Amino acid sequence: MDHAVPVEAAVVAELRAVLRPDQVLTDAAALAEYAHDDAEWAPFETPLAVVLAEHERDVVAVVRLAAASGVRVVPRGAGTGLSGGANAVADGIVLSLERMTRIVEIDAAERFAVAEAGVINDTLRQAVAEQGLWYPPDPASYRISTIGGNAATNAGGICCVKYGVTRDYVLGLRVVLADGEIVDLGRRTAKGVTGYDLTALMVGSEGTLGIITQVTVKLLPLAGREERAVVGAFGSLVAAGDAVAAISASGIVPSALEILDRTCIEAVDAWQSLGLPHGVDTLLLAKVDEVGALGERHAASVAELMTGAGALSVEQAVDADEIDRLFVARRLAYPALERLGPVLTEDVCVPRAAVPEMLARIQSAAAEYDVVIANIAHAGDGNLHPLIIAPEGDDEAKAGAKLAFDRIVDECRALGGTVTGEHGVGLLKLPGARAELGDRVLAMHASIKQALDPRGTLNPGKAFPA
């Protein structure tokens, strides 16, 4: 590289030489759009350039160029992350994989699919459904988030209480390493234990160890499930938490068990007019999906447990449209709340038995710091999403929100929980991750990072505290 020319200008020129000019964005609007994911509370810088990769060879070219010039690369999917994991660094390249949208293969007999990183979760789900198969992981953003991003953050979802998270379905990955080399990790067979499980290591690594370009996922049969919904209305958030604990202790494993509090209910209904019940404090939305009499018994048992925990009313539904309407409300809760002001999103996960106590501590934090905290939760696996809302331009509320955020993280750890259940550490959870992991485990992380990315090219400063 000719150092008579500023390094930044030379890098942009080389990017435009190896890619089409329209794949390299440097205008102010594009740089601002791609500077951060949905975690605007986390710090971010203006990138040097945004690259829209369309093929794996584009990713290789960008990584090799960056490594040679000392420029850092921040990989990005759809930008739906909530922890700052895709936030740009100064004089770095944001490498978007959103145009890599090819479903490479669906093998119905062996029950797996291969998809490029930019394939939207719901697009893959619909494609495999046409062949009688099901890809279970369903983050609330499933209609807009990418498979590559889901794998990079080990995304969860509404049905993960029974069916697991992204890592449970990733058989293999194709990854571009920090030196631009391509490796294939994992397998296509139902079983396989050859070598260290590097596939599992990459899943959830937030683009710090390699850039995922292709994902091989295992699939389940679409048939064999009959969904029934049980919806309980409660007079308090803690009472709904008691019902969650009772259902978990019963041995019944719902296919979904979700909480929506009053703030969420009213925000969603004001936006979408779904006819949700008003005048209640909290809704607990449950699904069971066993077939026939067993499903009926489980639905009845869940309803009885809700009543026993103090539900004001309990309804059961088997109509698919009605079930979808209620769970659409759950999926719309976050964007509905964003209409009220900037949202600082939590992602703590506690033991299921600790859900009522954790919800009570969240309410205490809201009162102590005088902030509005809405609560949605994958309550069946203890993954709670307190959403702290600060009106635009209210610096005092924003400061209180940050204090409440930190208090909730501390309370989660005190109850034996973990600081992130599915959103990833990114930037927002670095202090909590440091406290949770401890020095020796952090040193192990640093050793792995050094081995795979010695120059610190890939997504520096994310996923674990340096």
Side-chain angles (χ1 to χ4, degrees), residues 157-324:
I158 288 175
C159 75
C160 64
V161 57
K162 182 172 184 177
Y163 291 102
V165 296
T166 300
R167 180 178 282 119
D168 299 311
Y169 293 87
V170 175
L171 293 172
L173 298 169
R174 195 165 171 87
V175 178
V176 176
L177 299 177
D179 61 1
E181 291 295 314
I182 299 169
V183 292
D184 290 299
L185 305 175
R187 64 191 195 279
R188 292 186 169 198
T189 52
K191 295 171 67 176
V193 293
T194 306
Y196 297 137
D197 192 350
L198 299 180
T199 303
L201 176 65
M202 284 288 173
V203 175
S205 64
E206 303 184 41
T208 61
L209 302 179
I211 299 177
I212 296 167
T213 59
Q214 201 172 97
V215 185
T216 300
V217 296
K218 73 176 179 181
L219 306 171
L220 299 181
L222 185 60
R225 296 176 299 121
E226 286 181 11
E227 287 191 336
R228 294 173 172 82
V230 185
V231 180
F234 291 83
S236 74
L237 190 61
V238 174
D242 290 336
V244 170
I247 293 165
S248 298
S250 73
I252 295 171
V253 182
S255 57
L257 190 58
E258 300 286 309
I259 277 177
L260 278 178
D261 76 356
R262 181 196 299 268
T263 305
C264 296
I265 296 166
E266 293 179 353
V268 171
D269 219 38
W271 181 30
Q272 295 290 331
S273 301
L274 297 179
L276 299 176
H278 284 213
V280 301
D281 185 84
T282 305
L283 288 180
L284 182 58
L285 310 175
K287 285 183 190 177
V288 297
D289 64 358
E290 291 82 8
V291 175
L294 180 60
E296 292 176 1
R297 288 198 301 272
H298 281 182
S301 295
V302 168
E304 290 173 7
L305 291 165
M306 288 185 182
T307 300
L312 304 175
S313 64
V314 179
E315 296 183 18
Q316 297 188 46
V318 295
D319 179 75
D321 290 340
E322 179 65 10
I323 293 170
D324 286 346

Side-chain angles (χ1 to χ4, degrees), residues 51-53 58-59 62-63 73-77 93-97 211:
V51 172
L52 305 176
D58 299 339
V59 178
V62 171
V63 171
V73 176
V74 175
R76 173 187 167 108
I93 299 168
V94 172
L95 178 57
S96 171
L97 282 71
I211 299 177

